[in-house]
Amino acid sequence: MTKNLSSRSQFLKALLTSTVVATIQPTESKASEEKRYNLSPSEIAAIVEEDLVKNSFLTNGKLTRSIYDEKATFTDEIDTYGLDQWIKGTSKLFVGPPGSRVSLVGPMEANDKKVEFRFEEDLMFNIPFKPVVNLSGRVVLDRDEKTGLITSYREYWDQDVKTVLLSAKFK
């Protein structure tokens, strides 16, 4: 009986271990999208500009993942997030266009080390009463010197967090 108990215990332990390992393995997603290494400054700027102007990525998280390092960090005036966390959080927290709106203010600037742009946006929150806040600022995207991928996204707001929240209007 002890032998059966031991075998059963080993079986359950193996089953539990394989379940945990299967659960934490990366799943097939856009993370497997082939990375676009060492793009020229004009190429990466054009992609980021399309993500901003056409896809409104600041309002819905729809960015071109292939130009970002999978370990990239996203920092705004409130917190820092990982790539997946930022994409999921942005897509759930805000209502994309036409509820939210984002505009490029001035030219997109890029070199081998970074991409930088100014923006102005109305962000509609995906919560009851759909409040909309207005803010402006700039985004700096740092690039890895060896791969050319974006490793850091940093938002700098022209207004402080309190001012942005107090600007809320209800639709």
Side-chain angles (χ1 to χ4, degrees):
M1 186 168 203
T2 306
K3 186 172 183 166
N4 286 343
L5 196 55
S6 176
S7 295
R8 184 177 175 172
S9 173
Q10 289 172 340
F11 171 75
L12 291 172
K13 193 181 290 183
L15 180 64
L16 179 61
T17 301
S18 65
T19 303
V20 168
V21 169
T23 304
I24 62 173
Q25 291 298 322
T27 57
E28 191 67 30
S29 70
K30 291 185 180 183
S32 66
E33 185 178 319
E34 192 170 321
K35 296 298 180 187
R36 299 181 65 189
Y37 297 105
N38 298 311
L39 294 173
S40 70
S42 61
E43 289 172 314
I44 199 165
I47 293 168
V48 173
E49 185 167 343
E50 182 171 322
D51 283 349
L52 182 71
V53 174
K54 183 179 175 190
N55 299 339
S56 298
F57 86 99
L58 294 181
T59 71
N60 57 27
K62 293 180 183 175
L63 51 71
T64 302
R65 191 173 184 134
S66 62
I67 64 172
Y68 289 84
D69 187 293
E70 288 301 311
K71 294 178 183 158
T73 57
F74 289 71
T75 304
D76 61 20
E77 297 294 342
I78 299 170
D79 207 351
T80 298
Y81 316 89
L83 177 59
D84 283 327
Q85 186 182 23
W86 185 86
I87 291 170
K88 289 175 189 168
T90 301
S91 68
K92 290 181 180 184
L93 183 58
F94 304 114
V95 174
S100 292
R101 176 201 59 79
V102 63
S103 299
L104 177 62
V105 178
M108 183 77 54
E109 297 178 17
N111 58 42
D112 290 332
K113 294 182 180 192
K114 68 181 177 177
V115 178
E116 190 168 351
F117 63 89
R118 291 199 50 78
F119 69 93
E120 194 267 326
E121 65 186 339
D122 292 318
L123 283 174
M124 179 182 280
F125 286 85
N126 192 20
I127 59 175
F129 306 111
K130 305 287 188 211
V132 177
V133 296
N134 177 270
L135 67 136
S136 60
R138 66 185 172 100
V139 172
V140 177
L141 306 169
D142 290 328
R143 300 178 69 189
D144 182 88
E145 63 185 42
K146 292 178 183 162
T147 66
L149 296 176
I150 296 168
T151 57
S152 172
Y153 164 108
R154 178 67 170 99
E155 246 179 65
Y156 297 93
W157 295 356
D158 293 335
Q159 308 82 11
D160 61 46
V161 174
K162 182 179 176 184
T163 301
V164 169
L165 294 175
L166 289 173
S167 77
K169 293 178 177 61
F170 299 89
K171 295 279 177 172

